[in-house]
Amino acid sequence: MNNTYGSSIRCVFNGTAGQDEINPDQGIRVGPNPTSGILKVWGDQIIHIKVMDSFGRIIYNGTSGTIDISSQPNGTYFVNTITEKSTYINKVVKQ
């Protein structure tokens, strides 16, 4: 049996805190980092954005580039941004 798959997945992880996260491949930007509550995600060809806490719970799932996490506890969050070409994961700290 020949197992051939017709698509591939590319995932880029950016884990630097203390500055806006810039992903040079697509110009995806997440910031401010650290944040006190309002998080912005912007760039080219964004299809979907998901924000998860450090336990993997989804706290935002949608398409808006402005995300309010002010009601969430301080800690580490992961912003999963899907574009036409790739999936990007940025680490963000809420203080």
Side-chain angles (χ1 to χ4, degrees):
M1 176 179 228
N2 184 0
N3 289 328
T4 304
Y5 300 95
S7 63
S8 63
I9 296 174
R10 179 172 181 249
C11 183
V12 178
F13 178 76
N14 190 345
T16 306
Q19 62 187 19
D20 287 357
E21 302 294 335
I22 304 168
N23 202 311
D25 291 337
Q26 285 284 324
I28 301 300
R29 181 173 274 218
V30 178
N33 192 10
T35 184
S36 59
I38 301 297
L39 188 61
K40 294 201 180 262
V41 180
W42 64 101
D44 296 330
Q45 304 171 338
I46 294 175
I47 296 170
H48 194 82
I49 302 167
K50 185 180 346 181
V51 179
M52 294 173 287
D53 66 13
S54 59
F55 297 104
R57 294 180 292 222
I58 298 170
I59 62 166
Y60 175 81
N61 196 12
T63 58
S64 174
T66 302
I67 304 161
D68 184 359
I69 63 169
S70 61
S71 64
Q72 300 298 320
N74 290 347
T76 302
Y77 294 85
F78 297 93
V79 181
N80 180 330
T81 307
I82 299 171
T83 69
E84 290 182 7
K85 295 184 179 182
S86 298
T87 296
Y88 300 93
I89 302 171
N90 293 79
K91 182 171 115 178
V92 176
V93 175
K94 179 183 180 265
Q95 299 180 334

